[in-house]
Amino acid sequence: MKNTGDRRRTIYDVAKAAGVSISTASNALNDTGRTNAETRERVRRVAEEIGFRPNALARGLLSKRSHAIGMLTNDTYGRLTLPMAAGVSEVLVDHGVSVFLCATNNDPRLAQLHLEALLDRQVDGIIFTATRLDLTPPVQLSRLPIPVVYVFAEGPADSVTFFPDDEQGARLAVDHLKELGRSRILHITGPRDYLAARIRAQSYLDACGDGAEAMFGDWSEEWGHEAVQSVFARPGAKPDAIFCGSDEIARGVIDALRDLNVEIPTDVAVVGFDNWEVVARQTRPPLTTIDMELKELGHRAGLAILSLSKGEPVPAGITKLPCRLVVRQSCGSPLQSG
Amino acid sequence: MKNTGDRRRTIYDVAKAAGVSISTASNALNDTGRTNAETRERVRRVAEEIGFRPNALARGLLSKRSHAIGMLTNDTYGRLTLPMAAGVSEVLVDHGVSVFLCATNNDPRLAQLHLEALLDRQVDGIIFTATRLDLTPPVQLSRLPIPVVYVFAEGPADSVTFFPDDEQGARLAVDHLKELGRSRILHITGPRDYLAARIRAQSYLDACGDGAEAMFGDWSEEWGHEAVQSVFARPGAKPDAIFCGSDEIARGVIDALRDLNVEIPTDVAVVGFDNWEVVARQTRPPLTTIDMELKELGHRAGLAILSLSKGEPVPAGITKLPCRLVVRQSCGSPLQSG
DNA sequence: TTTTTCTGCTAAAAGCTTTTATCATGAATC
DNA sequence: GATTCATGATAAAAGCTTTTAGCAGAAAAA
């Protein structure tokens, strides 16, 4: 007889069926107060039998913790957001915390609406995420009565923020190329006004020293193509490796190299950035690239907001999570190239 | 003096500040009962001043409607889910309804956990979405006390389900090619065990009649490439148009054609399916393709679950939403080709 | 035996809102 | 002047849970 009635079972039903008071039922179920072991077991069995599940609304109303958080994103496309959101949700579901997803489309009115809805719902915290590091939220998040964590987005100075470690990621790519014996490494990346592009480029320049060249453009395949054409058209030594600021750019680079009959990886090795599987797996040859560990970023943000919502201290400032090198075939193996 | 205290303002604070009772305050704010116009205004002004916002938990507890819904997805990647989720959220936020996003990763345990959490939260309904039409949920959704809507996923016979109209979408593609004077149209698509692939293929065969050929394979670029190579390697007439089952396949097709020095669109026109902008915009030439209107699908699903949760009737069965042709440059214009 | 301590349980309050039923008050009707 | 009516306000209940304070009974200590 599992909850066949039309109305949800309440703790009152449990108490009645077990022949105890409501408080005893509550104590038995939550292991609070003093309860006889035998009674406790009976209450629990009855609760199970009639399919009792506590009402999260009533619980939240009393405890002032709703065990829900809001995730505010201004990414419409979802390539970055969904893996992070899945990571957040995955790590929190085991703590009984659910996630409201709010897509703001970067529209301040929509963002404000979502924010108010979240506050009305007494969420325990908010995770703000964007599609780029240096984008501030479309709505004021700084004077909120609940904690806020920023992931892949710029927060105020003293806020808790998680970034992928673009500097380390870029170094990973360059070091990999160097280990394979490449020395003339070129960097083709996105627009200079993207913080991530600047960080990666600087890291590349620091690692490669003299002769290094970073070409800024768009986050597009077209730009990768165009950049390679211009580099191979001009006189002078040609690069033997290209480190790209994104997988899309890498894709354009690979296409252009093929058009020029340049062999990959024999003549030129290519490394991408993003590990956007659907692109990186499909290039010919499959692309060696840098994974930003978006899901892990989500895990960390989720745990951070969880701690903050419990009042536990979390170190403020920017935490950079290491990227991971994913080796496929666009650089060759050390053996091949050696 | 906007809520500078440490605790949220309640209706009790409003009542006190306005010098009325709690019930009067509630009536004034919600336009219920009988209230003097002057009192009503005063209460509202005070509420605004002290920054009162009703507690959704208390409200939901009483009304038994939480004004929240759950969205259960088994898509890890997010290319389909996030646009739909954004659509759902966008249409519901104006009705004061928020969306819990639950990524199940197709793991029954995780799905069960999420489902229970949603029920505990008294959500007003659940939207289940998958990455393919013929995938059933990883958890039992049929005997729930709340309505369920299926989007882009297979539901039980009498359920409310929304699909993109693959048949019409395929016809849109074929008709477009025919209008441009193409007659030998080939279809390269994904695995035969995907319902969507079968529907699109059948629609194509119906529209093209004799000589039409549908090649089933993978949803990958590689397969598109491979298929083109084999077709152009065998003797006989070559196609003057290729309708692809996905943009990724189309991308492989375009690459292969370029390798073969076949001009696009002069020699062969190409149409894709998905309007996955990041792919479709980046092919050379940019891809004419079919958009499944995922956001609109989300809108409709959101409105359906809203109606159902209010007890309003919603026609059961599968509703197919029309796809849209997005013309770029991979088919040429009627003028060019005419 | 009387007092203290412990055990197991319970009544009641609190959390915040909406709704129902009730209560004054002044105006209108008889 | 007595009765009805309409108005504007209010007290209290309901929704479901957890927690606090307290109560009875039994066991232990005096």
Side-chain angles (χ1 to χ4, degrees):
Chain A
M1 65 149 206
K2 273 187 82 105
N3 192 0
T4 57
D6 47 352
R7 133 188 160 288
R8 275 185 75 110
R9 301 311 172 129
T10 72
I11 199 166
Y12 180 81
D13 298 317
V14 177
K16 206 169 78 174
V20 294
S21 75
I22 298 183
S23 357
T24 304
S26 174
N27 280 331
L29 292 171
N30 300 317
D31 249 336
T32 54
R34 291 185 294 247
T35 10
N36 184 317
E38 194 270 332
T39 316
R40 189 164 55 238
E41 280 319 304
R42 178 158 42 90
V43 169
R44 289 188 175 176
R45 203 179 48 244
V46 166
E48 175 77 37
E49 269 173 26
I50 68 174
F52 166 76
R53 308 235 57 205
N55 183 324
L57 262 38
R59 221 177 212 181
L61 180 57
L62 191 55
S63 68
K64 299 191 168 244
R65 295 200 50 221
S66 64
H67 290 272
I69 65 147
M71 189 152 176
L72 225 49
T73 175
N74 57 15
D75 176 12
T76 9
Y77 194 69
R79 163 172 139 219
L80 300 170
T81 295
L82 206 92
M84 285 194 284
V88 171
S89 160
E90 186 178 286
V91 81
L92 290 184
V93 72
D94 284 320
H95 296 267
V97 175
S98 300
V99 179
F100 284 112
L101 185 75
C102 305
T104 69
N105 274 344
N106 235 336
D107 169 1
R109 173 196 152 265
L110 206 53
Q112 185 64 37
L113 218 55
H114 274 301
L115 176 61
E116 280 169 9
L118 289 175
L119 292 174
D120 292 354
R121 295 206 141 74
Q122 318 285 112
V123 292
D124 300 334
I126 289 181
I127 296 180
F128 176 74
T129 173
T131 45
R132 51 185 290 191
L133 307 181
D134 42 0
L135 207 64
T136 46
V139 64
Q140 179 70 258
L141 291 178
S142 53
R143 281 281 150 221
L144 258 37
I146 51 173
V148 178
V149 166
Y150 298 79
V151 202
F152 222 111
E154 172 118 50
D158 58 341
S159 61
V160 177
T161 305
F162 292 92
F163 278 6
D165 192 340
D166 284 292
E167 191 183 327
Q168 171 262 359
R171 212 162 43 230
L172 222 48
V174 172
D175 286 353
H176 181 62
L177 291 169
K178 282 186 171 170
E179 275 167 25
L180 295 173
R182 310 287 170 158
S183 54
R184 296 184 311 282
I185 305 174
L186 174 68
H187 184 43
I188 303 177
T189 191
R192 195 187 288 271
D193 65 334
Y194 268 68
L195 178 58
R198 292 201 302 276
I199 295 176
R200 293 173 198 169
Q202 191 55 52
S203 172
Y204 150 84
L205 290 170
D206 291 349
C208 289
D210 282 353
E213 178 186 4
M215 303 174 74
F216 291 91
D218 295 317
W219 292 120
S220 74
E221 207 171 317
E222 204 180 336
W223 159 239
H225 201 274
E226 192 184 312
V228 165
Q229 282 184 323
S230 79
V231 165
F232 278 75
R234 72 193 184 191
K238 304 290 176 272
D240 61 3
I242 302 178
F243 166 39
C244 304
S246 81
D247 287 354
E248 276 184 271
I249 292 176
R251 156 127 232 184
V253 164
I254 288 177
D255 271 12
L257 290 174
R258 204 173 43 243
D259 286 358
L260 293 165
N261 284 317
V262 175
E263 284 268 324
I264 306 168
T266 320
D267 301 331
V268 174
V270 178
V271 181
F273 210 109
D274 279 350
N275 192 29
W276 189 16
E277 304 231 343
V278 77
V279 172
R281 281 211 148 107
Q282 299 281 338
T283 55
R284 288 172 306 148
L287 188 65
T288 289
T289 185
I290 304 297
D291 190 307
M292 290 188 285
E293 304 277 26
L294 296 173
K295 205 172 209 185
E296 176 64 15
L297 225 39
H299 286 170
R300 293 292 298 272
L303 291 175
I305 203 77
L306 186 66
S307 295
L308 285 170
S309 74
K310 288 184 193 162
E312 296 164 14
V314 168
I318 298 174
T319 305
K320 290 182 181 157
L321 261 57
C323 300
R324 178 171 54 96
L325 177 74
V326 178
V327 176
R328 292 202 181 86
Q329 295 157 42
S330 63
C331 296
S333 71
L335 294 171
Q336 277 179 246
S337 82
Chain B
M1 68 150 207
K2 271 186 82 101
N3 191 1
T4 57
D6 46 353
R7 136 190 157 287
R8 276 187 73 110
R9 302 312 172 127
T10 72
I11 198 166
Y12 179 80
D13 298 318
V14 177
K16 204 169 79 172
V20 294
S21 76
I22 299 184
S23 356
T24 303
S26 175
N27 280 330
L29 292 171
N30 301 316
D31 250 336
T32 54
R34 290 186 295 247
T35 9
N36 184 316
E38 194 270 331
T39 315
R40 189 164 54 238
E41 280 319 307
R42 178 158 42 89
V43 169
R44 290 189 174 175
R45 200 178 50 243
V46 166
E48 174 77 36
E49 267 173 29
I50 69 175
F52 166 75
R53 306 238 54 204
N55 182 325
L57 262 39
R59 222 178 211 180
L61 180 56
L62 192 55
S63 68
K64 298 190 168 246
R65 296 200 51 219
S66 64
H67 290 272
I69 66 149
M71 189 152 176
L72 224 50
T73 175
N74 57 14
D75 175 14
T76 9
Y77 193 70
R79 163 175 138 218
L80 299 171
T81 295
L82 205 90
M84 286 193 284
V88 171
S89 159
E90 186 178 286
V91 81
L92 291 184
V93 72
D94 284 320
H95 297 265
V97 174
S98 299
V99 179
F100 283 112
L101 185 75
C102 306
T104 70
N105 273 344
N106 234 338
D107 170 1
R109 173 197 152 265
L110 206 54
Q112 185 64 37
L113 218 56
H114 275 301
L115 177 62
E116 279 168 9
L118 290 176
L119 292 175
D120 292 354
R121 295 206 140 73
Q122 319 285 112
V123 292
D124 300 334
I126 288 181
I127 296 179
F128 176 74
T129 173
T131 46
R132 49 185 290 191
L133 307 181
D134 43 1
L135 209 62
T136 46
V139 65
Q140 179 68 258
L141 292 177
S142 51
R143 283 277 149 224
L144 259 38
I146 50 173
V148 178
V149 165
Y150 298 80
V151 202
F152 222 111
E154 172 119 48
D158 58 341
S159 60
V160 176
T161 305
F162 292 92
F163 278 6
D165 192 340
D166 285 292
E167 193 184 325
Q168 172 262 357
R171 210 162 43 232
L172 223 47
V174 172
D175 287 353
H176 181 62
L177 291 170
K178 283 187 170 171
E179 275 168 23
L180 296 174
R182 310 288 170 159
S183 54
R184 298 184 310 282
I185 306 174
L186 175 68
H187 183 44
I188 303 177
T189 190
R192 195 187 289 272
D193 66 334
Y194 269 68
L195 179 58
R198 292 201 302 277
I199 295 177
R200 293 174 198 168
Q202 192 55 53
S203 172
Y204 150 83
L205 289 171
D206 291 348
C208 289
D210 282 353
E213 179 186 2
M215 303 175 74
F216 290 92
D218 295 317
W219 291 121
S220 74
E221 206 170 318
E222 205 180 336
W223 158 240
H225 200 274
E226 195 183 310
V228 164
Q229 281 183 324
S230 77
V231 164
F232 277 75
R234 71 193 184 191
K238 304 290 178 270
D240 60 4
I242 302 179
F243 166 40
C244 303
S246 80
D247 287 354
E248 276 184 271
I249 292 176
R251 157 128 231 184
V253 164
I254 287 178
D255 272 12
L257 291 174
R258 203 174 42 243
D259 286 358
L260 293 164
N261 283 316
V262 175
E263 285 269 323
I264 305 168
T266 319
D267 301 331
V268 173
V270 178
V271 180
F273 209 108
D274 281 351
N275 192 29
W276 190 14
E277 303 231 342
V278 78
V279 172
R281 280 212 147 107
Q282 299 282 337
T283 56
R284 289 173 304 146
L287 188 63
T288 290
T289 186
I290 305 296
D291 190 307
M292 291 188 284
E293 304 278 25
L294 296 172
K295 207 172 208 184
E296 176 64 14
L297 225 40
H299 285 169
R300 293 292 299 272
L303 291 175
I305 203 76
L306 187 65
S307 296
L308 285 170
S309 75
K310 288 185 194 162
E312 297 164 13
V314 169
I318 298 173
T319 304
K320 291 181 179 155
L321 261 57
C323 301
R324 178 171 53 96
L325 177 74
V326 178
V327 177
R328 292 201 181 85
Q329 294 156 43
S330 63
C331 296
S333 71
L335 295 172
Q336 277 178 245
S337 79

